């Protein structure tokens, strides 16, 4: 059965409370569900549980200090914060909650929290009087106002042997809260499965594109100059095929019109029409557009092609310069979007400057419903990489910026927005 945690990046923050031992079980549950987990522990947390246990289970070194003592290696809380799809702090002591509420960045866990781009959940654990204290309750309210989810502590016997509210939620309960978080509110609204059956709930959400035909253009185009030369670009087609793979996994009937790309990229359950030039790509896309519901234009189409293609290999001239006359290629996205009649169309904008401005202009000029902006200045967000960092703008005025992620995850984010 597919878990909604599969492939998710979770930062598990552990602070110094007796309940830290429960985080070992929680970590195991996350790993078993297919998540990748980075543990960040406070210096006090290490008094309760050893990094060796945690790193053995997570398969990653546990991070606690800003630097590794013997090598001087700096641990970037910014990178960890950006990597995470979710941060879960369990247990969260009164002290950690107070530091989070006030931005007291004196340990790795709090700096990571302050750098986290995605959602944060805390599972408080403390004695009943500490939990009930107005200071703690004020801090909890501040965290809620900051958008943090609080996994309410339960009532029961506490480490002090007193009885009352403050006992950290059990690992299974935290796992359930995390699963529910990953099932988006929209997906939940459409779920008709039995209450509490979060896994089945997720599967139905993932098949949301069943019955839809999706056309995707991908890869570069090559514009022939002569029988052995062409004008091309470095596009690998990886983003287009990641979209194809994810759309197929969501139940869509997917056809990719692809320029020259590595054949190993092509997933089994996706139909591919291979083309070479922009004009061939337009012709194939026009045919597939007829009965499609969604068209995603992810190809890096050459803007110009040689006016004439030489029949024979062009010989090297004695002159220092040669001229090549070019003619503008058709804009496939704009051409098809001008006749979209109820179809949803999505384009990409790869920009080196004035990114958002240019992307919004493309949204308008090409009559798209969504435009996915990626910037050439962002590290890891370019041709031929396995990662991408995108901002998605919609015709409805919505704007959503995502951190650097794998292209598969970016594809999932885009398709879920659609
Ligand atoms: O205008 P620009 O090339 O930046 O636009 C990028 C978007 O338009 C991408 O979605 C790309 O696939 C699409 N496009 C196209 N045909 C072209 C040029 C771009 O479909 N000739």
């Amino acid at each position: 059965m597919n878990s909604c945690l599969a492939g998710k990046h979770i930062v598990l923050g552990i602070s110094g409370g007796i309940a830290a031992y429960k985080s070992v079980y929680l970590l195991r549950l996350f790993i078993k569900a297919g998540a990748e987990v980075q543990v960040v522990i406070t210096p006090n947390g290490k008094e309760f549980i050893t990094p060796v246990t945690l790193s053995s289970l997570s398969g990653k070194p546990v991070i606690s200090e800003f630097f590794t003592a013997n090598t001087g290696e700096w641990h970037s809380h910014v990178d960890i914060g950006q990597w995470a799809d979710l941060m879960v702090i369990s247990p969260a002591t009164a002290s950690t909650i107070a530091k989070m509420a006030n931005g007291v960045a004196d340990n790795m866990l709090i700096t990571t929290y302050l750098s986290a781009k995605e959602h944060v959940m805390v599972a408080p654990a403390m004695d009943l009087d500490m939990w009930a204290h107005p200071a703690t309750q004020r801090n909890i309210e501040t965290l809620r106002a900051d958008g943090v989810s609080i996994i309410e502590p339960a009532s029961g016997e506490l480490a002090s042997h007193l009885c009352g509210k403050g006992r950290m939620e059990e690992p299974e309960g935290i796992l359930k809260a995390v699963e529910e978080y990953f099932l988006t509110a929209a997906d939940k609204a459409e779920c008709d499965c039995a209450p509490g059956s979060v896994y089945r709930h997720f599967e139905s959400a993932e098949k949301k594109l069943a019955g839809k035909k999706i056309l995707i253009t991908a890869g570069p185009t090559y514009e022939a100059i002569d029988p052995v030369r062409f004008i091309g670009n470095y596009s690998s087609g990886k983003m287009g095929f990641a979209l194809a793979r994810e759309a197929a996994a969501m139940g869509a009937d997917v056809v990719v019109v692809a320029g020259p790309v590595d054949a190993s990229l092509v997933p089994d359950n996706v139909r591919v029409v291979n083309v070479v030039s922009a004009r061939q790509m337009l012709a194939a896309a026009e045919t597939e557009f007829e009965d499609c519901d969604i068209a995603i234009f992810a190809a890096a189409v050459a803007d110009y092609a040689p006016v004439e293609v030489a029949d024979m290999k062009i010989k090297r001239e004695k002159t220092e310069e040669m001229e090549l006359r070019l003619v503008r290629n058709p804009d496939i996205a704009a051409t098809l979007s001008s006749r979209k009649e109820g179809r949803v169309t999505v384009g990409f904008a790869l920009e080196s400057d004035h990114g958002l401005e240019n992307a919004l202009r493309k949204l308008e000029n090409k009559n798209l419903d969504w435009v996915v902006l990626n910037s050439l200045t962002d590290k890891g967000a370019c041709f031929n990489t396995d990662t991408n960092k995108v901002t998605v703008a919609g015709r409805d005025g919505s704007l959503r910026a995502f951190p650097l992620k794998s292209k598969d995850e970016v594809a999932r984010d885009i398709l879920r927005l659609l």
Side-chain angles (χ1 to χ4, degrees), residues 83-128:
W83 171 86
D85 295 312
L86 178 70
M87 182 171 187
V88 180
I89 301 171
S90 147
T93 59
S95 160
T96 288
I97 289 169
K99 286 181 188 178
M100 289 170 71
N102 293 285
V104 181
D106 67 349
N107 66 42
M108 211 35 208
L109 193 154
I110 305 294
T111 50
T112 305
Y113 163 66
L114 294 175
S115 304
K117 287 269 175 278
E118 297 287 333
H119 194 56
V120 179
M121 300 173 112
V122 299
M126 64 198 75
D127 222 49
L128 72 163

mmCIF file of all heavy atoms in Angstrom, residues 83-128:
data_model
loop_
_atom_site.group_PDB
_atom_site.id
_atom_site.type_symbol
_atom_site.label_atom_id
_atom_site.label_comp_id
_atom_site.label_asym_id
_atom_site.label_seq_id
_atom_site.Cartn_x
_atom_site.Cartn_y
_atom_site.Cartn_z
ATOM 1 N N TRP A 83 15.326 21.849 2.694
ATOM 2 C CA TRP A 83 15.192 20.456 2.251
ATOM 3 C C TRP A 83 13.872 19.863 2.738
ATOM 4 O O TRP A 83 13.224 19.072 2.049
ATOM 5 C CB TRP A 83 16.386 19.677 2.811
ATOM 6 C CG TRP A 83 16.379 18.193 2.670
ATOM 7 C CD1 TRP A 83 16.807 17.462 1.607
ATOM 8 C CD2 TRP A 83 15.954 17.238 3.659
ATOM 9 N NE1 TRP A 83 16.674 16.122 1.872
ATOM 10 C CE2 TRP A 83 16.154 15.941 3.115
ATOM 11 C CE3 TRP A 83 15.424 17.338 4.945
ATOM 12 C CZ2 TRP A 83 15.843 14.779 3.809
ATOM 13 C CZ3 TRP A 83 15.112 16.176 5.648
ATOM 14 C CH2 TRP A 83 15.321 14.913 5.075
ATOM 15 N N ALA A 84 13.445 20.316 3.943
ATOM 16 C CA ALA A 84 12.312 19.660 4.613
ATOM 17 C C ALA A 84 10.982 19.924 3.927
ATOM 18 O O ALA A 84 10.683 21.036 3.513
ATOM 19 C CB ALA A 84 12.228 20.152 6.053
ATOM 20 N N ASP A 85 10.162 18.859 3.832
ATOM 21 C CA ASP A 85 8.758 19.023 3.446
ATOM 22 C C ASP A 85 7.923 19.290 4.699
ATOM 23 O O ASP A 85 6.806 19.786 4.614
ATOM 24 C CB ASP A 85 8.222 17.751 2.778
ATOM 25 C CG ASP A 85 8.924 17.480 1.459
ATOM 26 O OD1 ASP A 85 9.044 18.417 0.662
ATOM 27 O OD2 ASP A 85 9.370 16.342 1.244
ATOM 28 N N LEU A 86 8.474 18.910 5.836
ATOM 29 C CA LEU A 86 7.762 19.075 7.108
ATOM 30 C C LEU A 86 8.786 18.974 8.229
ATOM 31 O O LEU A 86 9.733 18.207 8.139
ATOM 32 C CB LEU A 86 6.722 17.958 7.273
ATOM 33 C CG LEU A 86 5.926 17.944 8.577
ATOM 34 C CD1 LEU A 86 4.959 19.129 8.625
ATOM 35 C CD2 LEU A 86 5.137 16.644 8.723
ATOM 36 N N MET A 87 8.566 19.794 9.274
ATOM 37 C CA MET A 87 9.406 19.664 10.469
ATOM 38 C C MET A 87 8.508 19.262 11.626
ATOM 39 O O MET A 87 7.455 19.871 11.828
ATOM 40 C CB MET A 87 10.108 20.989 10.762
ATOM 41 C CG MET A 87 11.023 20.915 11.964
ATOM 42 S SD MET A 87 12.029 22.418 12.112
ATOM 43 C CE MET A 87 13.122 21.942 13.445
ATOM 44 N N VAL A 88 8.913 18.216 12.341
ATOM 45 C CA VAL A 88 8.125 17.749 13.490
ATOM 46 C C VAL A 88 9.026 17.835 14.717
ATOM 47 O O VAL A 88 10.110 17.240 14.724
ATOM 48 C CB VAL A 88 7.667 16.279 13.294
ATOM 49 C CG1 VAL A 88 6.843 15.815 14.488
ATOM 50 C CG2 VAL A 88 6.866 16.132 12.004
ATOM 51 N N ILE A 89 8.603 18.577 15.729
ATOM 52 C CA ILE A 89 9.418 18.695 16.938
ATOM 53 C C ILE A 89 8.761 17.877 18.041
ATOM 54 O O ILE A 89 7.648 18.187 18.483
ATOM 55 C CB ILE A 89 9.611 20.168 17.331
ATOM 56 C CG1 ILE A 89 10.281 20.890 16.165
ATOM 57 C CG2 ILE A 89 10.449 20.275 18.610
ATOM 58 C CD1 ILE A 89 10.358 22.370 16.299
ATOM 59 N N SER A 90 9.441 16.802 18.417
ATOM 60 C CA SER A 90 8.838 15.835 19.319
ATOM 61 C C SER A 90 9.936 15.153 20.108
ATOM 62 O O SER A 90 10.751 14.471 19.495
ATOM 63 C CB SER A 90 8.036 14.822 18.496
ATOM 64 O OG SER A 90 8.055 13.557 19.088
ATOM 65 N N PRO A 91 10.024 15.314 21.410
ATOM 66 C CA PRO A 91 9.147 16.157 22.206
ATOM 67 C C PRO A 91 9.572 17.628 22.110
ATOM 68 O O PRO A 91 10.743 17.925 21.887
ATOM 69 C CB PRO A 91 9.377 15.631 23.622
ATOM 70 C CG PRO A 91 10.775 15.096 23.605
ATOM 71 C CD PRO A 91 11.020 14.592 22.215
ATOM 72 N N ALA A 92 8.583 18.503 22.309
ATOM 73 C CA ALA A 92 8.873 19.938 22.403
ATOM 74 C C ALA A 92 8.706 20.306 23.873
ATOM 75 O O ALA A 92 7.604 20.229 24.416
ATOM 76 C CB ALA A 92 7.912 20.735 21.528
ATOM 77 N N THR A 93 9.823 20.664 24.505
ATOM 78 C CA THR A 93 9.762 21.033 25.926
ATOM 79 C C THR A 93 9.242 22.468 26.058
ATOM 80 O O THR A 93 9.185 23.230 25.072
ATOM 81 C CB THR A 93 11.165 20.976 26.553
ATOM 82 O OG1 THR A 93 11.989 21.876 25.818
ATOM 83 C CG2 THR A 93 11.742 19.574 26.493
ATOM 84 N N ALA A 94 8.923 22.859 27.296
ATOM 85 C CA ALA A 94 8.455 24.234 27.544
ATOM 86 C C ALA A 94 9.516 25.227 27.072
ATOM 87 O O ALA A 94 9.196 26.267 26.486
ATOM 88 C CB ALA A 94 8.163 24.415 29.032
ATOM 89 N N SER A 95 10.774 24.874 27.311
ATOM 90 C CA SER A 95 11.863 25.773 26.939
ATOM 91 C C SER A 95 11.957 25.925 25.418
ATOM 92 O O SER A 95 12.088 27.027 24.880
ATOM 93 C CB SER A 95 13.162 25.221 27.527
ATOM 94 O OG SER A 95 14.253 25.752 26.863
ATOM 95 N N THR A 96 11.885 24.799 24.695
ATOM 96 C CA THR A 96 11.960 24.856 23.223
ATOM 97 C C THR A 96 10.771 25.633 22.654
ATOM 98 O O THR A 96 10.928 26.447 21.735
ATOM 99 C CB THR A 96 12.049 23.422 22.645
ATOM 100 O OG1 THR A 96 13.349 22.921 22.937
ATOM 101 C CG2 THR A 96 11.822 23.382 21.152
ATOM 102 N N ILE A 97 9.595 25.397 23.230
ATOM 103 C CA ILE A 97 8.403 26.126 22.758
ATOM 104 C C ILE A 97 8.588 27.628 22.984
ATOM 105 O O ILE A 97 8.283 28.447 22.109
ATOM 106 C CB ILE A 97 7.149 25.578 23.471
ATOM 107 C CG1 ILE A 97 6.842 24.176 22.934
ATOM 108 C CG2 ILE A 97 5.954 26.515 23.309
ATOM 109 C CD1 ILE A 97 5.804 23.403 23.719
ATOM 110 N N ALA A 98 9.148 27.991 24.150
ATOM 111 C CA ALA A 98 9.365 29.411 24.461
ATOM 112 C C ALA A 98 10.371 30.022 23.487
ATOM 113 O O ALA A 98 10.189 31.128 22.980
ATOM 114 C CB ALA A 98 9.858 29.555 25.891
ATOM 115 N N LYS A 99 11.425 29.255 23.178
ATOM 116 C CA LYS A 99 12.439 29.780 22.246
ATOM 117 C C LYS A 99 11.855 29.930 20.847
ATOM 118 O O LYS A 99 12.123 30.902 20.141
ATOM 119 C CB LYS A 99 13.648 28.835 22.206
ATOM 120 C CG LYS A 99 14.516 28.913 23.446
ATOM 121 C CD LYS A 99 15.689 27.961 23.304
ATOM 122 C CE LYS A 99 16.456 27.873 24.599
ATOM 123 N NZ LYS A 99 17.563 26.913 24.504
ATOM 124 N N MET A 100 11.045 28.947 20.441
ATOM 125 C CA MET A 100 10.418 29.037 19.111
ATOM 126 C C MET A 100 9.517 30.263 19.035
ATOM 127 O O MET A 100 9.527 31.010 18.056
ATOM 128 C CB MET A 100 9.576 27.781 18.827
ATOM 129 C CG MET A 100 10.376 26.526 18.571
ATOM 130 S SD MET A 100 9.306 25.075 18.529
ATOM 131 C CE MET A 100 8.426 25.316 16.988
ATOM 132 N N ALA A 101 8.736 30.477 20.109
ATOM 133 C CA ALA A 101 7.769 31.582 20.088
ATOM 134 C C ALA A 101 8.470 32.933 20.033
ATOM 135 O O ALA A 101 7.927 33.910 19.520
ATOM 136 C CB ALA A 101 6.863 31.488 21.316
ATOM 137 N N ASN A 102 9.691 32.969 20.564
ATOM 138 C CA ASN A 102 10.390 34.256 20.655
ATOM 139 C C ASN A 102 11.602 34.355 19.730
ATOM 140 O O ASN A 102 12.334 35.340 19.784
ATOM 141 C CB ASN A 102 10.801 34.505 22.110
ATOM 142 C CG ASN A 102 9.566 34.706 22.976
ATOM 143 O OD1 ASN A 102 8.935 35.752 22.927
ATOM 144 N ND2 ASN A 102 9.172 33.675 23.703
ATOM 145 N N GLY A 103 11.819 33.325 18.934
ATOM 146 C CA GLY A 103 12.932 33.367 17.976
ATOM 147 C C GLY A 103 14.296 33.374 18.636
ATOM 148 O O GLY A 103 15.221 34.034 18.150
ATOM 149 N N VAL A 104 14.422 32.691 19.774
ATOM 150 C CA VAL A 104 15.723 32.635 20.459
ATOM 151 C C VAL A 104 16.567 31.539 19.806
ATOM 152 O O VAL A 104 16.441 30.359 20.132
ATOM 153 C CB VAL A 104 15.541 32.351 21.979
ATOM 154 C CG1 VAL A 104 16.906 32.329 22.679
ATOM 155 C CG2 VAL A 104 14.639 33.406 22.596
ATOM 156 N N ALA A 105 17.428 31.950 18.895
ATOM 157 C CA ALA A 105 18.108 30.976 18.023
ATOM 158 C C ALA A 105 19.442 30.541 18.617
ATOM 159 O O ALA A 105 20.486 30.758 18.026
ATOM 160 C CB ALA A 105 18.300 31.586 16.647
ATOM 161 N N ASP A 106 19.415 29.908 19.784
ATOM 162 C CA ASP A 106 20.687 29.553 20.418
ATOM 163 C C ASP A 106 21.035 28.075 20.274
ATOM 164 O O ASP A 106 21.942 27.590 20.904
ATOM 165 C CB ASP A 106 20.693 29.972 21.891
ATOM 166 C CG ASP A 106 19.702 29.173 22.721
ATOM 167 O OD1 ASP A 106 18.872 28.460 22.120
ATOM 168 O OD2 ASP A 106 19.753 29.252 23.956
ATOM 169 N N ASN A 107 20.286 27.344 19.481
ATOM 170 C CA ASN A 107 20.735 25.975 19.168
ATOM 171 C C ASN A 107 20.283 25.613 17.757
ATOM 172 O O ASN A 107 19.494 26.341 17.125
ATOM 173 C CB ASN A 107 20.256 24.955 20.211
ATOM 174 C CG ASN A 107 18.748 24.781 20.242
ATOM 175 O OD1 ASN A 107 18.090 24.731 19.208
ATOM 176 N ND2 ASN A 107 18.181 24.714 21.440
ATOM 177 N N MET A 108 20.797 24.497 17.256
ATOM 178 C CA MET A 108 20.576 24.086 15.872
ATOM 179 C C MET A 108 19.093 23.836 15.589
ATOM 180 O O MET A 108 18.601 24.103 14.495
ATOM 181 C CB MET A 108 21.382 22.809 15.683
ATOM 182 C CG MET A 108 21.954 22.491 14.366
ATOM 183 S SD MET A 108 22.547 23.760 13.337
ATOM 184 C CE MET A 108 22.284 22.969 11.774
ATOM 185 N N LEU A 109 18.375 23.325 16.605
ATOM 186 C CA LEU A 109 16.960 23.012 16.380
ATOM 187 C C LEU A 109 16.164 24.305 16.110
ATOM 188 O O LEU A 109 15.347 24.363 15.191
ATOM 189 C CB LEU A 109 16.385 22.276 17.603
ATOM 190 C CG LEU A 109 15.025 21.620 17.422
ATOM 191 C CD1 LEU A 109 14.879 20.449 18.392
ATOM 192 C CD2 LEU A 109 13.878 22.570 17.616
ATOM 193 N N ILE A 110 16.452 25.341 16.894
ATOM 194 C CA ILE A 110 15.691 26.593 16.715
ATOM 195 C C ILE A 110 16.106 27.304 15.421
ATOM 196 O O ILE A 110 15.254 27.842 14.699
ATOM 197 C CB ILE A 110 15.874 27.545 17.925
ATOM 198 C CG1 ILE A 110 15.511 26.824 19.233
ATOM 199 C CG2 ILE A 110 15.020 28.798 17.753
ATOM 200 C CD1 ILE A 110 14.062 26.429 19.394
ATOM 201 N N THR A 111 17.392 27.272 15.079
ATOM 202 C CA THR A 111 17.793 27.928 13.826
ATOM 203 C C THR A 111 17.160 27.204 12.634
ATOM 204 O O THR A 111 16.744 27.830 11.663
ATOM 205 C CB THR A 111 19.330 27.973 13.645
ATOM 206 O OG1 THR A 111 19.855 26.673 13.865
ATOM 207 C CG2 THR A 111 19.981 28.949 14.589
ATOM 208 N N THR A 112 17.074 25.874 12.747
ATOM 209 C CA THR A 112 16.438 25.110 11.661
ATOM 210 C C THR A 112 14.960 25.476 11.588
ATOM 211 O O THR A 112 14.414 25.694 10.504
ATOM 212 C CB THR A 112 16.601 23.586 11.897
ATOM 213 O OG1 THR A 112 17.985 23.308 12.048
ATOM 214 C CG2 THR A 112 16.050 22.781 10.736
ATOM 215 N N TYR A 113 14.310 25.583 12.747
ATOM 216 C CA TYR A 113 12.895 25.985 12.776
ATOM 217 C C TYR A 113 12.712 27.349 12.096
ATOM 218 O O TYR A 113 11.818 27.530 11.268
ATOM 219 C CB TYR A 113 12.394 26.027 14.225
ATOM 220 C CG TYR A 113 11.112 26.816 14.391
ATOM 221 C CD1 TYR A 113 9.925 26.381 13.813
ATOM 222 C CD2 TYR A 113 11.103 28.009 15.108
ATOM 223 C CE1 TYR A 113 8.749 27.113 13.947
ATOM 224 C CE2 TYR A 113 9.937 28.745 15.246
ATOM 225 C CZ TYR A 113 8.763 28.297 14.662
ATOM 226 O OH TYR A 113 7.612 29.024 14.783
ATOM 227 N N LEU A 114 13.601 28.284 12.423
ATOM 228 C CA LEU A 114 13.444 29.628 11.856
ATOM 229 C C LEU A 114 13.723 29.652 10.353
ATOM 230 O O LEU A 114 13.294 30.557 9.651
ATOM 231 C CB LEU A 114 14.367 30.621 12.583
ATOM 232 C CG LEU A 114 14.009 30.873 14.059
ATOM 233 C CD1 LEU A 114 15.059 31.766 14.719
ATOM 234 C CD2 LEU A 114 12.630 31.502 14.211
ATOM 235 N N SER A 115 14.443 28.633 9.864
ATOM 236 C CA SER A 115 14.749 28.575 8.421
ATOM 237 C C SER A 115 13.778 27.687 7.658
ATOM 238 O O SER A 115 13.859 27.616 6.428
ATOM 239 C CB SER A 115 16.155 28.012 8.197
ATOM 240 O OG SER A 115 17.102 28.761 8.892
ATOM 241 N N ALA A 116 12.896 26.983 8.380
ATOM 242 C CA ALA A 116 12.018 26.010 7.711
ATOM 243 C C ALA A 116 11.059 26.722 6.765
ATOM 244 O O ALA A 116 10.411 27.696 7.141
ATOM 245 C CB ALA A 116 11.237 25.198 8.746
ATOM 246 N N LYS A 117 10.999 26.212 5.537
ATOM 247 C CA LYS A 117 10.140 26.838 4.525
ATOM 248 C C LYS A 117 8.748 26.215 4.545
ATOM 249 O O LYS A 117 7.777 26.826 4.119
ATOM 250 C CB LYS A 117 10.736 26.631 3.127
ATOM 251 C CG LYS A 117 11.945 27.481 2.879
ATOM 252 C CD LYS A 117 11.511 28.808 2.262
ATOM 253 C CE LYS A 117 12.651 29.780 2.088
ATOM 254 N NZ LYS A 117 12.981 30.525 3.295
ATOM 255 N N GLU A 118 8.680 24.966 4.981
ATOM 256 C CA GLU A 118 7.381 24.282 4.932
ATOM 257 C C GLU A 118 6.790 24.217 6.335
ATOM 258 O O GLU A 118 7.264 24.868 7.246
ATOM 259 C CB GLU A 118 7.552 22.896 4.305
ATOM 260 C CG GLU A 118 8.033 22.941 2.853
ATOM 261 C CD GLU A 118 6.970 23.397 1.850
ATOM 262 O OE1 GLU A 118 5.780 23.217 2.117
ATOM 263 O OE2 GLU A 118 7.345 23.949 0.804
ATOM 264 N N HIS A 119 5.765 23.395 6.484
ATOM 265 C CA HIS A 119 4.992 23.400 7.720
ATOM 266 C C HIS A 119 5.770 22.820 8.912
ATOM 267 O O HIS A 119 6.671 22.008 8.725
ATOM 268 C CB HIS A 119 3.724 22.574 7.489
ATOM 269 C CG HIS A 119 2.707 22.767 8.547
ATOM 270 N ND1 HIS A 119 2.217 24.003 8.882
ATOM 271 C CD2 HIS A 119 2.104 21.876 9.380
ATOM 272 C CE1 HIS A 119 1.331 23.866 9.860
ATOM 273 N NE2 HIS A 119 1.254 22.583 10.182
ATOM 274 N N VAL A 120 5.400 23.275 10.114
ATOM 275 C CA VAL A 120 6.036 22.779 11.342
ATOM 276 C C VAL A 120 4.950 22.291 12.294
ATOM 277 O O VAL A 120 3.911 22.930 12.453
ATOM 278 C CB VAL A 120 6.868 23.893 12.023
ATOM 279 C CG1 VAL A 120 7.510 23.379 13.310
ATOM 280 C CG2 VAL A 120 7.939 24.429 11.071
ATOM 281 N N MET A 121 5.207 21.110 12.905
ATOM 282 C CA MET A 121 4.279 20.563 13.909
ATOM 283 C C MET A 121 5.054 20.338 15.193
ATOM 284 O O MET A 121 6.204 19.904 15.133
ATOM 285 C CB MET A 121 3.714 19.217 13.429
ATOM 286 C CG MET A 121 2.949 19.330 12.137
ATOM 287 S SD MET A 121 2.505 17.686 11.533
ATOM 288 C CE MET A 121 0.757 17.755 11.731
ATOM 289 N N VAL A 122 4.438 20.621 16.336
ATOM 290 C CA VAL A 122 5.125 20.331 17.588
ATOM 291 C C VAL A 122 4.267 19.426 18.461
ATOM 292 O O VAL A 122 3.042 19.565 18.507
ATOM 293 C CB VAL A 122 5.512 21.606 18.396
ATOM 294 C CG1 VAL A 122 6.450 22.494 17.630
ATOM 295 C CG2 VAL A 122 4.306 22.387 18.844
ATOM 296 N N ALA A 123 4.945 18.518 19.141
ATOM 297 C CA ALA A 123 4.272 17.624 20.090
ATOM 298 C C ALA A 123 4.824 17.971 21.475
ATOM 299 O O ALA A 123 5.892 17.481 21.847
ATOM 300 C CB ALA A 123 4.548 16.170 19.729
ATOM 301 N N PRO A 124 4.121 18.831 22.222
ATOM 302 C CA PRO A 124 4.642 19.244 23.526
ATOM 303 C C PRO A 124 4.674 18.092 24.515
ATOM 304 O O PRO A 124 3.862 17.159 24.428
ATOM 305 C CB PRO A 124 3.634 20.307 23.994
ATOM 306 C CG PRO A 124 2.878 20.710 22.773
ATOM 307 C CD PRO A 124 2.860 19.507 21.889
ATOM 308 N N ALA A 125 5.634 18.170 25.438
ATOM 309 C CA ALA A 125 5.746 17.169 26.505
ATOM 310 C C ALA A 125 6.301 17.880 27.729
ATOM 311 O O ALA A 125 7.391 18.446 27.663
ATOM 312 C CB ALA A 125 6.700 16.055 26.077
ATOM 313 N N MET A 126 5.525 17.905 28.796
ATOM 314 C CA MET A 126 6.018 18.551 30.026
ATOM 315 C C MET A 126 5.098 18.214 31.181
ATOM 316 O O MET A 126 4.070 17.550 31.000
ATOM 317 C CB MET A 126 6.128 20.068 29.841
ATOM 318 C CG MET A 126 4.819 20.776 29.605
ATOM 319 S SD MET A 126 5.047 22.404 28.891
ATOM 320 C CE MET A 126 5.462 22.063 27.193
ATOM 321 N N ASP A 127 5.476 18.691 32.360
ATOM 322 C CA ASP A 127 4.663 18.433 33.533
ATOM 323 C C ASP A 127 3.374 19.252 33.459
ATOM 324 O O ASP A 127 3.329 20.283 32.782
ATOM 325 C CB ASP A 127 5.469 18.826 34.771
ATOM 326 C CG ASP A 127 5.273 17.799 35.838
ATOM 327 O OD1 ASP A 127 5.401 16.602 35.543
ATOM 328 O OD2 ASP A 127 4.952 18.203 36.957
ATOM 329 N N LEU A 128 2.345 18.801 34.192
ATOM 330 C CA LEU A 128 1.037 19.455 34.039
ATOM 331 C C LEU A 128 1.057 20.937 34.381
ATOM 332 O O LEU A 128 0.412 21.744 33.711
ATOM 333 C CB LEU A 128 -0.043 18.715 34.862
ATOM 334 C CG LEU A 128 -0.054 18.800 36.390
ATOM 335 C CD1 LEU A 128 -1.421 18.350 36.919
ATOM 336 C CD2 LEU A 128 1.015 17.919 36.995
#
